[in-house]
Amino acid sequence: GAGVSQSPSNKVTEKGKDVELRCDPISGHTALYWYRQSLGQGLEFLIYFQGNSAPDKSGLPSDRFSAERTGGSVSTLTIQRTQQEDSAVYLCASSLTGTNTGELFFGEGSRLTVL
Amino acid sequence: AQKVTQAQTEISVVEKEDVTLDCVYETRDTTYYLFWYKQPPSGELVFLIRRNSFDEQNEISGRYSWNFQKSTSSFNFTITASQVVDSAVYFCAIHGSSNTGKLIFGQGTTLQVKP
């Protein structure tokens, strides 16, 4: 596609349920990133993929959070046993190479609300 | 560790006023890149500029200009003759050699331009 696509755009779930958020990066981009933006907060890094590998997953807040990327393309962020503090906008970004010279292209985000 | 500080949480100006958004960064890297992104109400972050640590020349793009000063570790962003469409959240970010591809963002500055 022309840009980074994320789905769902909005998700409301009950505490304790699992959720999956999907990111479809720009075709040909090898690097993919997940960030979290809580209300009034900046962007918090979660995980970085280069191809299908995740060389940096240091930002995942707990073992309830996991992510995978298959075929060097689509990525899924899974949150198990959701808690109210997980409510946030989850942003996905991709870049051509993942080097420090590249700009990140962001999707519009998936807004997660945990009741 | 790298850090970006945007001390201004919110700024409100009247259309046609000039406005400067401050960004101060911390890094131990000698080679690094600085970025500004704009997040309009739609939520999708839009890349504005990338500047590498070896290039301290100021840059102007239309009504936008950036002042990079290594001596004060600052990368400030000025909008001249602001317009209502400039209303958004603006993020400053840094990428260094130790970042494994990720950007470290500041907390963001919300700019409101009133007609």
Side-chain angles (χ1 to χ4, degrees):
Chain A
V4 177
S5 178
Q6 292 187 246
S7 61
S9 55
N10 273 288
K11 176 72 176 179
V12 180
T13 190
E14 293 179 347
K15 178 182 174 181
K17 300 280 189 181
D18 297 351
V19 296
E20 282 190 356
L21 307 176
R22 175 188 167 106
C23 173
D24 200 344
I26 293 174
S27 178
H29 281 195
T30 63
L32 185 146
Y33 312 78
W34 284 98
Y35 284 83
R36 179 169 71 173
Q37 186 175 23
S38 303
L39 186 63
Q41 301 296 311
L43 278 74
E44 176 189 11
F45 168 79
L46 298 179
I47 188 169
Y48 156 61
F49 286 94
Q50 183 61 252
N52 292 336
S53 301
D56 188 348
K57 52 180 79 172
S58 63
L60 294 178
S62 74
D63 58 9
R64 296 187 296 105
F65 287 73
S66 63
E68 66 174 12
R69 188 179 186 195
T70 56
S73 181
V74 172
S75 175
T76 303
L77 177 67
T78 301
I79 309 173
Q80 296 178 311
R81 305 182 301 282
T82 52
Q83 303 294 313
Q84 289 184 332
E85 60 262 29
D86 299 335
S87 296
V89 177
Y90 290 83
L91 292 164
C92 177
S94 69
S95 70
L96 188 58
T97 63
T99 68
N100 55 8
T101 58
E103 69 180 86
L104 271 60
F105 294 82
F106 283 83
E108 293 189 352
S110 292
R111 182 177 298 277
L112 174 65
T113 303
V114 182
L115 302 176
Chain B
Q2 299 185 328
K3 184 179 178 182
V4 174
T5 302
Q6 296 179 253
Q8 305 150 308
T9 305
E10 293 185 21
I11 301 175
S12 182
V13 299
V14 177
E15 206 169 21
K16 298 184 182 177
E17 284 185 18
D18 298 348
V19 58
T20 295
L21 309 181
D22 298 333
C23 173
V24 174
Y25 62 92
E26 297 175 27
T27 182
R28 293 180 181 176
D29 290 336
T30 55
T31 301
Y32 53 90
Y33 289 77
L34 298 166
F35 298 76
W36 276 94
Y37 279 82
K38 174 183 180 180
Q39 186 179 38
S42 63
E44 183 175 339
L45 276 85
V46 177
F47 167 83
L48 295 178
I49 190 172
R50 175 184 62 241
R51 175 65 51 160
N52 75 55
S53 53
F54 296 107
D55 183 2
E56 287 193 71
Q57 275 193 327
N58 291 334
E59 182 159 341
I60 298 175
S61 177
R63 296 184 297 108
Y64 295 171
S65 62
W66 291 269
N67 185 334
F68 176 31
Q69 293 193 349
K70 289 180 75 171
S71 61
T72 55
S73 297
S74 65
F75 186 44
N76 296 339
F77 172 32
T78 297
I79 302 174
T80 303
S82 60
Q83 300 176 1
V84 172
V85 293
D86 295 328
S87 297
V89 182
Y90 291 86
F91 290 96
C92 181
I94 190 170
H95 184 296
S97 59
S98 58
N99 277 8
T100 64
K102 69 190 179 197
L103 294 183
I104 304 297
F105 285 85
Q107 294 293 84
T109 297
T110 299
L111 174 64
Q112 183 181 37
V113 181
K114 299 178 181 178

